[in-house]
Amino acid sequence: MSADSSAEVRHFLDLDRLDAGTLRQILDLGSACKRDGAFVEEKPLAGRQLAMIFEKPSTRTRVSFEVGMRQLGGQAVILEQQGSQLGRGETVADTARVLCRYVDVIMLRTTREENLLELAENSTVPVINGLTNRTHPCQLMADVMTFEEHLGPIKDRRVAWCGDGNNMATSWIHAAVRFEFELRVATPEELQPPQAVLDWAAAHGGRIVLGNDVEAAVDGADCVVTDVWTSMGDDETESFKQRRHNLLAGYRVDERVMRIANDDAIFMHCLPAHRGEEVAAEVIDGPRSVVWDEAENRLHAQKGILLWCLT
Ligand code: CP
Ligand code: NVA
């Protein structure tokens, strides 16, 4: 925890910053925690402390990290932006310099990716990305785990993303490259994922098929994924939401869409969901939905991340 202790700090910032072998190693650790209850007796994180900073709301991330840390023998402390000096203008860099004198690992959920990078640059302890405006890598670790539990290895399989090209879409693109599966993305033209991530995927041999046609995307898919039409931090005005609704209405995942996918295709959503908007109730509450397993796997996958960062 001292300021000069970091030879090589294991940050978990994004899937594009870690190699495929490391990500697989983390997933294996998480799966072992789930399958065998590995580390239940050993408490490998005994005496270790996690600080979680939230600039945006959370249910799953907050509870799964805190419970995971406790199950591994450690403890967690939570800072909300409002209620800490961050909310009064103390810099992220100074916050990092202070926190890493108290704790062994820091998780940040932030409105600006730059804050995550500033935190990592100034921290001598590992920093974990708990969602930014650009990505949500912890969720993707849980999602890949969930896919593989239901359908076997994800390598060379086909996943269809329908809806907004948001932070989850970017992390799915990262995952498609790292875990070597095909990702078909159906979004309205103006809500496509950022060009930079598409360029990165192309440069790394990613099989990303971009389009505006839901039917083409889900045809032959093993998994259909969607997410909210308005993300945290987006404009929350009624006019913005109405415009989004108009743009995305044709991208709703309903029974008709699921029928075009493979017979054994699963449905995923990181949650929280809006039934009747991005997904029909009959799909998310139906037999092909694995969303509750996905939510549970946040706990197991993040235990893998914490163990990789700290041991
Ligand atoms: N999926 C997800 O990150 O959920 P929370 O916003 O509840 O943490
Ligand atoms: N795209 C969503 C994901 C929530 C977990 C958001 O950023 O609000």
Side-chain angles (χ1 to χ4, degrees):
M1 275 187 270
S2 68
D4 59 358
S5 65
S6 64
E8 195 178 316
V9 182
R10 287 185 163 185
H11 298 303
F12 186 84
L13 298 181
D14 263 319
L15 305 188
D16 59 344
R17 290 170 173 261
L18 295 169
D19 61 52
T22 300
L23 295 173
R24 182 53 71 181
Q25 180 195 347
I26 294 171
L27 266 189
D28 289 347
L29 273 171
S31 295
C33 288
K34 179 175 185 177
R35 196 185 48 240
D36 322 324
F39 311 111
V40 167
E41 303 300 327
E42 298 95 317
K43 303 281 184 229
L45 301 189
R48 314 298 283 276
Q49 310 288 338
L50 163 70
M52 295 192 275
I53 308 172
F54 287 98
E55 296 177 4
K56 294 177 176 183
S58 166
T59 296
R60 280 146 288 269
T61 304
R62 179 175 178 149
V63 177
S64 56
F65 264 110
E66 180 158 354
V67 169
M69 197 64 192
R70 281 197 213 156
Q71 288 178 351
L72 294 170
Q75 289 174 305
V77 55
I78 293 172
L79 272 93
E80 308 282 357
Q81 189 185 31
Q82 299 309 321
S84 73
Q85 298 291 4
L86 274 169
R88 296 182 60 247
E90 186 167 24
T91 66
V92 173
D94 284 354
T95 305
R97 292 177 185 119
V98 171
L99 286 183
C100 59
R101 299 297 180 101
Y102 303 140
V103 303
D104 303 277
V105 54
I106 305 170
M107 191 230 68
L108 173 66
R109 168 166 286 198
T110 180
T111 49
R112 294 172 67 244
E113 187 192 31
E114 293 78 4
N115 289 350
L116 179 78
L117 303 179
E118 186 176 334
L119 189 72
E121 272 161 28
N122 291 281
S123 173
T124 56
V125 302
V127 170
I128 298 173
N129 176 353
L131 182 146
T132 73
N133 51 318
R134 191 179 84 99
T135 58
H136 196 4
C138 290
Q139 182 70 51
L140 256 293
M141 297 300 276
D143 291 356
V144 172
M145 182 184 280
T146 308
F147 181 105
E148 295 196 329
E149 284 175 358
H150 283 270
L151 296 177
I154 199 167
K155 185 172 188 293
D156 295 331
R157 307 295 289 272
R158 184 180 295 173
V159 175
W161 173 272
C162 303
D164 186 15
N166 62 12
N167 47 2
M168 279 297 301
T170 290
S171 282
W172 270 102
I173 292 170
H174 290 160
V177 171
R178 290 297 186 238
F179 293 98
E180 297 180 71
F181 58 89
E182 180 183 337
L183 182 68
R184 297 196 170 191
V185 179
T187 66
E189 201 82 50
E190 64 185 89
L191 297 180
Q192 279 185 0
Q195 192 57 46
V197 70
L198 298 172
D199 292 345
W200 174 84
H204 290 81
R207 281 169 286 164
I208 314 296
V209 181
L210 209 58
N212 315 117
D213 183 346
V214 170
E215 293 188 13
V218 300
D219 189 19
D222 300 296
C223 174
V224 179
V225 197
T226 190
D227 187 17
V228 289
W229 288 348
T230 303
S231 284
M232 294 179 283
D234 285 345
D235 185 348
E236 294 276 353
T237 59
E238 276 315 308
S239 59
F240 178 90
K241 288 191 194 169
Q242 189 56 51
R243 190 151 176 284
R244 281 294 177 109
H245 196 280
N246 295 341
L247 275 172
L248 286 159
Y251 294 82
R252 174 176 302 123
V253 178
D254 56 18
E255 279 292 6
R256 187 191 67 81
V257 169
M258 289 304 292
R259 273 197 297 272
I260 301 168
N262 287 348
D263 289 345
D264 63 348
I266 53 176
F267 170 77
M268 283 200 194
H269 189 310
C270 65
L271 305 176
H274 296 81
R275 289 168 176 77
E277 289 191 21
E278 74 275 6
V279 59
E282 69 216 21
V283 171
I284 194 168
D285 299 321
R288 305 223 226 166
S289 170
V290 297
V291 299
W292 313 120
D293 293 342
E294 234 184 310
E296 178 188 333
N297 283 338
R298 291 293 302 276
L299 171 67
H300 309 298
Q302 287 160 194
K303 284 165 81 175
I305 294 168
L306 288 165
L307 287 167
W308 175 77
C309 286
L310 289 172
T311 61

